Amino acid sequence: MRIAFATVGCRLNQFETDALRGRAQVAEAEVVSFESPADVYVINTCTITAEADADSRQLARRAIRRNPSALVVVTGCYAQAAPETVAAIPGVDLVLGNQEKARLFTILREVRKNGAPEVRVGAIAGLRRIDGDEYGPGIDPDRTRAFLKVQDGCDYACSFCIVPAVRGPNRSLPPGRILDEIGRLHAGGFPEVVLTGIHLGTYGRDLSPRTSLVELCRQIVALPESPRVRLSSLDPHEVTPELIELLAASARFCRHLHLPLQSGDEGVLRRMRRGHTAAEFRSLVERLVRAVPGIAVTADVIVGFPGEDDHAFQATRDLLESLPLAGLHVFGYSRRAGTEAAGLAAQVPRAVRKERSRALRALAGRKGEEFRRRFVGAVLDAVVLHRDGEPGRREGLTDNYLRVWFPGESALQGSRVRVRVDGVTDRGLEGIVLGPPGIGRSWADSGESVDSPGTVK
């Protein structure tokens, strides 16, 4: 059986696709590119925005056109949210919910392509644990960085968000299982592991005994050997002083945090039902850059939320302009049926959302370039990605989430190296490899600091 996978959405979705890919290999299926002829196509979908829904439908139709006789499976969050809509796409054979996704290969044995799509989407609100069977024996060997799912679900009720309805309540993997997985990934040669979840900052609250993300991180620091570890998105109010202290003290954790701000206007944040204020976000970013030299702080922003007038948008723009951010992910508000925000008055016109998005993306570009220029002359820790580019050149990702290109042969792929940054381009940094990673954290641990663009002292 030839099987192909495609993923829309977050790192957690990517991890789950990788786990399915690993199971396919154990089942002796031939995993092929999504662009190749296959007997089974699996699309792991997202529903965070209307655009994600459209991307998911487009991938399903692409698979159907590529091989009309293939079995087409649609799973993930869009399938969970709108199973009948997905099943109505001509040529889709099987629709699986998020909980059923882990049983893909058992279910495939029971399904035939007969023109009548089968829908297996169960209720997800009552789930109380992560099924250990979700963890496949393999990770995509072409990915240098392994994603490790440590948490799923969300107990919050942001007024714009459909995720709790399609992922269920907060559920955490026990710490011992996570430490074992990290050890396995280290033995497998992965130089970086990304801890991921739907709401990573609530990790451990559901476990008995109760624990926390920072306690898990301390246990990872105590491991005798480990890849470097990156934390995925954290809500601002969940970045505790203890976590900041750990990031500052441990070279095992990457100097990078992604924080969903969503708006810089206090009124909009209240209507969004977010757990932080704009003032608290400002204070957090300033504390992070003081405590962890060289840290990359990136943020999510939603523009055009209902009731966002010119004054509210300007408050967001002013806040972002004033902060030392390394980058922004900008999203136009997407009205989602079943959320509180969908019924709010003063919906912002599409043209206004597009113009505000354009303005913030231009700001993001400037912020990113300013951040990159700080590191000319610095030595950074990078993992060499498994990507083919120009002959004799490699691409790396630094611990503070910068792309860097340098001369090197393919044998470097999958390794960690120290790279001296010599210049900045539109796509990232240019540098030269100095050798394997040293002890500590390059210039940040040696007493050096960066005061202004292009100056390292």
Side-chain angles (χ1 to χ4, degrees), residues 91-102:
V92 168
D93 302 291
L94 176 62
V95 182
L96 295 179
N98 272 322
Q99 187 69 359
E100 291 76 18
K101 181 191 303 182

Side-chain angles (χ1 to χ4, degrees), residues 8-9 71 92 94 128 138 153 208 219 232 234 297 346 364 401 416 425 449 456:
V8 182
L71 199 69
V92 168
L94 176 62
R128 290 295 178 265
S208 182
Q219 293 183 50
S232 61
L234 291 174
V297 180
Y401 212 62
R416 280 176 64 180
T425 69
S449 63
V456 179

